[in-house]
Amino acid sequence: MEKWSLMTITVLLALTVRWAVSLGSYSGAGKPPMYGDYEAQRHWQEITYNLPLRQWYFNTSDNNLLYWGLDYPPLTAYHSLVCAFIAQLINPAWVALHTSRGYESQPHKLFMRATVFVADLLVYIPAVILYCSSLKETSAKKKASTCALCILLYPGLILIDHGHFQYPLSLGFALWGVLCLSHDWDLLGSVAFCLALNYKQMELYHSLPFFCYLLGKCFKKGLKGKGLVLLTKLAGTVVFSFAACWLPFGTDVEQIMQVLRRLFPIDRGFSAFPQAVDTCMDKVANIWCSLSVLIKIKNIVSPQTQLKLSFAVTFLSLLPACIKLTVQPSLRGFKFALVSCALSFFLFSFQVHEKSILLVAVPVCLIINEIPFMATWFLLVSTFSMLPLLLKDGLLLPYAMTMPAFLATCLASFSILDKTSAEDLQLKAFTLALRGYVSWFKSFPRIVRSGFLLSLSLMGVLSLLSAAVPPPQSLPDLFPVAVSIVSCLHFLLFLVYFNVVILWDSKNSKSQKKTS
């Protein structure tokens, strides 16, 4: 009873913070002609409600794809249609074809914000609560609620969902997938992840860990017995789930091909999803955008060559974690692989948006109870990396309030500054392997803490400069570029760290021996 009362307080606090952030501005508010993501979501409601399904993804006189054309999978379109039906009942002007373009009013803002709250309450928050309640590592009831509080107060997701404007459904479905797999409900987990993938194609960031973990389980059971049965069931579940999502489009091959072209527009080149309105898209904290400061890759090689290059680098960077997970499938290894693979995709893949770092951050939230220090550090950097976007949306005050609040919560919940030893960081096996070659391991905790404090100071200074100091006229993008490069360097170090933890994971090895 005490456990659930603590959880209730946690949820109420999380909802209060979300409500406070939602009172502020949103993406593209009062900025015609394109406005922003808020208008994109409203426009998709307009299109799905007024046009027949066969026109949703095609350029027509009633559906100008250059004006926020649908570029997400069918579940996003179906969700927009459901919201549109409700909007039509309240005020038909909100979704009127053509005339509703750029519609802005306080009642409509309240409606749109409410749809995000409902998505949070129905999908994302329950998954977080159940996940934290089921953690075997949590030694006390209080630990589950503190873990949930830290996850639900993660500022990056709050600022994007309830400030910038975005729905948490794909991440919520993916979380349900992890939750189901943690209880060995493999078929339900597969369905949940298929829903996530059919809501947003960026869930491909998480697809390889799901695939490798389940395939590894099949291998472990034996492909001539129970493993083959499980593999057949999983394949059937995936096919059925995709068929159900795509059934309305399945009557016409051209329909399917057009949807796929909208989902994967490879002719855009590096810097990913550059809608005409979003000039800060080129300041994403990944390797290609950081390198473009020195080398304009888009001017040197063709989009096709860019695609091949990014594919090769991404594939090589995530290969070790995927091989380890397939050979030694474990739930712990699966969660760490979700982080590592998503971070590889973010850093090296062909098309990236600033918000895509959330696809890394949410899996990091899942391991905050295991490595609280590094998880907190990463989550702070991930929010900081989106600073140019947040400033553009007028979310400086929510950013300035939620970042320290999150840090304070993690400090109070996990005493993170005391969790910097090699054992606390899951690096004991790695440090033992190198202890004979490197002399400074005795000072390792102090070095890590110093790095963390230096990182916090650097992020704080850049945040202040970005918000309060006008850049030189000759370098108008100085601060966004600095934020991008500093964040990218952090992410590269985090990628190395997570891969070291995965590859030198003695806990997984021990559990494998016990199981066998």
Side-chain angles (χ1 to χ4, degrees):
M1 196 71 181
E2 179 190 353
K3 174 181 175 181
W4 291 110
S5 62
L6 287 172
M7 280 295 187
T8 302
I9 295 171
T10 296
V11 171
L12 290 175
L13 181 57
L15 290 175
T16 301
V17 174
R18 282 159 168 75
W19 170 77
V21 171
S22 71
L23 294 176
S25 183
Y26 52 82
S27 172
K31 296 178 182 177
M34 293 295 290
Y35 301 93
D37 281 2
Y38 175 95
E39 167 62 10
Q41 298 286 350
R42 189 217 57 78
H43 180 64
W44 295 343
Q45 295 173 22
E46 170 195 346
I47 292 301
T48 53
Y49 183 81
N50 290 287
L51 300 182
L53 181 142
R54 63 179 179 275
Q55 293 183 25
W56 288 357
Y57 290 91
F58 281 90
N59 195 58
T60 66
S61 57
D62 289 325
N63 185 20
N64 180 7
L65 293 182
L66 295 178
Y67 185 80
W68 300 115
L70 258 172
D71 52 6
Y72 286 131
L75 276 189
T76 292
Y78 304 150
H79 176 230
S80 296
L81 181 60
V82 171
C83 292
F85 272 110
I86 300 171
Q88 169 70 17
L89 293 174
I90 301 171
N91 187 343
W94 293 351
V95 289
L97 189 62
H98 301 311
T99 58
S100 64
R101 180 173 292 194
Y103 191 98
E104 291 180 308
S105 71
Q106 195 59 33
H108 184 253
K109 176 186 174 183
L110 180 62
F111 166 75
M112 293 291 280
R113 293 298 197 195
T115 61
V116 180
F117 264 87
V118 170
D120 238 345
L121 281 169
L122 292 181
V123 179
Y124 183 77
I125 291 178
V128 171
I129 297 301
L130 290 175
Y131 173 80
C132 293
S133 299
S134 66
L135 284 174
K136 295 177 182 178
E137 293 88 352
T138 52
S139 56
K141 294 176 181 178
K142 187 179 177 183
K143 266 289 185 68
S145 59
T146 55
C147 182
L149 181 63
C150 290
I151 295 175
L152 292 175
L153 289 186
Y154 165 55
L157 197 62
I158 294 173
L159 292 170
I160 292 301
D161 287 353
H162 298 272
H164 173 86
F165 198 89
Q166 178 177 277
Y167 292 103
L169 289 174
S170 62
L171 291 170
F173 286 136
L175 238 176
W176 277 103
V178 175
L179 179 63
C180 290
L181 294 190
S182 68
H183 288 86
D184 287 324
W185 302 333
D186 297 332
L187 300 185
L188 283 176
S190 299
V191 171
F193 184 67
C194 286
L195 293 177
L197 194 53
N198 280 286
Y199 192 88
K200 280 192 177 179
Q201 66 270 36
M202 282 82 79
E203 279 297 327
L204 285 168
Y205 281 36
H206 301 145
S207 58
L208 281 174
F210 271 89
F211 174 78
C212 293
Y213 175 66
L214 291 171
L215 182 63
K217 286 188 73 171
C218 294
F219 285 150
K220 195 173 176 181
K221 291 176 180 291
L223 285 182
K224 291 185 178 179
K226 292 182 179 179
L228 181 60
V229 174
L230 177 59
L231 183 62
T232 304
K233 289 180 178 178
L234 288 170
T237 300
V238 171
V239 170
F240 176 80
S241 300
F242 269 80
C245 292
W246 287 73
L247 185 61
F249 297 90
T251 57
D252 186 357
V253 175
E254 181 56 28
Q255 273 275 8
I256 296 175
M257 295 307 298
Q258 175 63 10
V259 176
L260 292 175
R261 282 191 289 267
R262 292 294 300 163
L263 301 188
F264 305 105
I266 62 171
D267 57 331
R268 288 178 177 179
F270 286 137
S271 82
F273 301 158
Q275 302 283 3
V277 67
D278 285 317
T279 56
C280 64
M281 292 284 187
D282 290 332
K283 313 303 180 296
V284 183
N286 80 339
I287 193 69
W288 307 118
C289 294
S290 298
L291 282 177
S292 68
V293 175
L294 301 174
I295 307 169
K296 298 298 181 185
I297 301 175
K298 290 190 289 186
N299 298 336
I300 299 174
V301 296
S302 66
Q304 288 72 23
T305 306
Q306 295 173 35
L307 177 62
K308 293 174 183 176
L309 176 63
S310 63
F311 175 81
V313 178
T314 305
F315 178 75
L316 290 173
S317 67
L318 54 79
L319 190 61
C322 289
I323 292 175
K324 177 73 180 286
L325 184 60
T326 307
V327 175
Q328 294 182 350
S330 70
L331 186 61
R332 183 173 181 277
F334 168 60
K335 290 188 286 187
F336 274 87
L338 283 172
V339 176
S340 175
C341 291
L343 188 52
S344 291
F345 270 107
F346 178 82
L347 284 170
F348 304 116
S349 62
F350 184 64
Q351 294 182 331
V352 182
H353 191 292
E354 304 103 304
K355 296 180 294 184
S356 297
I357 195 60
L358 298 177
L359 292 156
V360 191
V362 169
V364 170
C365 288
L366 301 182
I367 54 176
I368 195 169
N369 63 305
E370 297 188 49
I371 47 166
F373 177 82
M374 294 300 284
T376 300
W377 192 354
F378 180 92
L379 294 172
L380 289 169
V381 175
S382 67
T383 305
F384 168 74
S385 73
M386 297 184 288
L387 180 60
L389 178 65
L390 299 174
L391 290 177
K392 181 185 171 190
D393 290 340
L395 295 170
L396 174 61
L397 181 59
Y399 169 83
M401 297 298 290
T402 55
M403 284 280 275
F406 174 73
L407 176 59
T409 303
C410 292
L411 284 167
S413 301
F414 294 109
S415 303
I416 59 172
L417 293 179
D418 298 327
K419 304 288 181 64
T420 56
S421 68
E423 187 171 0
D424 288 324
L425 300 181
Q426 311 290 334
L427 293 174
K428 188 174 181 180
F430 178 69
T431 54
L432 287 174
L434 294 185
R435 194 178 292 277
Y437 305 96
V438 182
S439 59
W440 46 261
F441 274 121
K442 289 183 179 179
S443 307
F444 184 73
R446 181 170 55 83
I447 293 171
V448 172
R449 280 195 297 269
S450 300
F452 175 67
L453 295 175
L454 178 63
S455 171
L456 286 184
S457 302
L458 185 56
M459 288 190 288
V461 169
L462 276 176
S463 297
L464 284 172
L465 291 174
S466 299
V469 179
Q473 289 186 352
S474 57
L475 297 170
D477 294 326
L478 175 63
F479 298 134
V481 169
V483 169
S484 171
I485 293 174
V486 168
S487 302
C488 181
L489 291 174
H490 276 83
F491 292 148
L492 285 169
L493 291 175
F494 280 119
L495 180 65
V496 173
Y497 164 75
F498 285 119
N499 275 285
V500 167
V501 172
I502 290 168
L503 297 177
W504 271 269
D505 188 0
S506 57
K507 288 187 178 181
N508 277 355
S509 300
K510 290 177 183 177
S511 64
Q512 287 292 319
K513 289 178 182 177
K514 287 180 182 178
T515 305
S516 59

